[in-house]
């Protein structure tokens, strides 16, 4: 694993942008895997403000809540529209279809999408419990797209985006760990003290489903882009 540490989240986002920019300049971003959440917002802002053009690229998002329409302001589809696609449209953008409750159909379809669009660069955040995508502790490393019941800690962490915690969806569709590991390159961003323990376990701990991100130790091209707080236990 390559580890880049910057003093602030802003500086770290600039480093992540430099990686994206470099790949884009060399036409190596035909398919970009994207994450939602607060962590990539600085990166997305820099992309929005750049002159990069993704109109010939494809995006695939990690996950989507079950039960929300793409037009729902709390959906990840909407989030991406607002923070990236409105300014930088891709040729095609894929999400697991959160509006469809038929999990077998949705996950099969998304696995087909991923098979047809191998990811050149996957952007990841990390949960305080080491989750990547919505792959919570205990998820099999062999998993592909699947439906997950969100843990209480993830529901609590996500409640900040909703008016009240009862509105946080209880299920999501997510790419699996094997889907993420199939990406050619991965950058994982983590900012803030609350991510420090997860980063420590990801980098120095045993590779175990108890810390889903620890599997990244086995990926051939992973870069962690951290601020000093997230790196403070390394
Ligand atoms: C989002 C995702 C999640 C987040 C993680 C961190 O698409 O897959 O794994 O990356 O929960 O969230 P933030 O960035 O809000 O701390």
């Amino acid at each position: 694993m390559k580890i880049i540490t910057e003093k602030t989240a802003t500086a770290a986002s600039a480093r992540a942008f430099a990686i994206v920019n470099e790949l884009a300049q060399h036409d190596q971003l035909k398919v970009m895997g994207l994450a939602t959440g607060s962590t990539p917002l600085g990166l997305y802002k820099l992309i929005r403000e750049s002159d990069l053009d993704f109109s010939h690229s494809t995006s695939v998002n990690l996950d989507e809540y079950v039960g929300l329409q793409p037009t729902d302001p709390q959906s990840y589809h909407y989030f991406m529209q607002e923070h990236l696609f409105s300014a930088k449209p891709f040729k095609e953008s894929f999400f697991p279809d959160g509006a469809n409750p038929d999990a077998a159909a949705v996950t099969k379809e998304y696995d087909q999408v991923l098979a047809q669009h191998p990811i050149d660069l996957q952007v990841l955040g990390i949960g305080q419990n080491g989750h990547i995508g919505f792959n919570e502790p205990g998820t099999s490393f062999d998993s592909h797209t699947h439906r997950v019941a969100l843990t209480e800690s993830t529901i609590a962490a996500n409640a900040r985006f909703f008016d009240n915690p009862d509105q946080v969806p209880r299920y999501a569709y997510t790419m699996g760990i094997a889907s993420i590991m199939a990406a050619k390159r991965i950058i994982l961003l983590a900012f803030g003290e609350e991510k420090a323990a997860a980063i420590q376990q990801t980098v120095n701990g045993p590779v175990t489903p108890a810390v889903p991100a620890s599997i990244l130790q086995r990926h051939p091209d992973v870069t962690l882009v951290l601020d000093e707080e997230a790196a403070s236990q390394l």
Side-chain angles (χ1 to χ4, degrees):
M1 279 178 167
K2 187 171 166 194
I3 300 174
I4 296 172
T5 304
E6 292 284 348
K7 215 171 179 48
T8 63
T10 306
S13 298
R15 287 295 290 270
F17 174 74
I19 294 170
V20 170
N21 191 38
E22 174 77 14
L23 291 171
Q25 301 301 341
H26 291 88
D27 204 18
Q28 287 175 18
L29 270 190
K30 289 198 172 29
V31 182
M32 223 176 143
L34 298 171
T36 57
S38 48
T39 307
L41 287 176
L43 168 63
Y44 294 160
K45 179 170 186 282
L46 292 171
I47 295 177
R48 285 200 309 271
E49 293 167 355
S50 74
D51 54 10
L52 290 180
D53 174 13
F54 291 102
S55 62
H56 300 290
S57 296
T58 297
S59 69
V60 288
N61 259 80
L62 279 171
D63 40 24
E64 179 58 286
Y65 287 124
V66 177
L68 300 187
Q69 299 290 330
T71 48
D72 189 310
Q74 303 297 353
S75 74
Y76 284 173
H77 203 120
Y78 192 97
F79 175 101
M80 291 307 303
Q81 195 58 38
E82 189 179 357
H83 292 290
L84 190 59
F85 302 153
S86 52
K88 294 287 174 189
F90 283 64
K91 182 177 64 177
E92 303 173 288
S93 288
F94 294 100
F95 293 78
D97 182 4
N100 184 351
D102 181 347
V106 174
T107 56
K108 186 174 169 206
E109 183 187 36
Y110 209 57
D111 281 342
Q112 284 167 354
V113 165
L114 296 174
Q116 285 158 10
H117 301 90
I119 298 170
D120 292 308
L121 176 70
Q122 176 66 54
V123 176
L124 293 179
I126 185 170
Q128 292 177 37
N129 61 6
H131 72 227
I132 47 177
F134 269 127
N135 296 287
E136 301 285 7
T139 306
S140 161
F141 287 155
D142 295 329
S143 53
H144 292 270
T145 308
H146 59 288
R147 192 186 82 139
V148 289
L150 307 186
T151 62
E152 284 308 318
S153 78
T154 298
I155 292 168
N158 287 359
R160 68 191 193 275
F161 298 113
F162 291 79
D163 291 337
N164 92 54
D166 293 342
Q167 293 173 344
V168 185
R170 267 36 187 178
Y171 293 92
Y173 296 124
T174 183
M175 277 189 206
I177 306 261
S179 328
I180 292 170
M181 288 295 280
K184 191 167 169 190
R185 293 189 177 81
I186 295 175
I187 49 173
L188 184 147
L189 314 183
F191 309 142
E193 210 181 346
E194 64 278 12
K195 301 293 173 70
I199 290 299
Q200 195 277 332
Q201 290 176 304
T202 297
V203 175
N204 297 322
V207 176
T208 164
V211 182
S214 64
I215 189 66
L216 298 175
Q217 292 177 25
R218 300 217 177 123
H219 190 283
D221 194 341
V222 175
T223 304
L224 267 48
V225 187
L226 312 174
D227 69 0
E228 275 184 352
E229 289 183 358
S232 60
Q233 292 185 26
L234 292 180

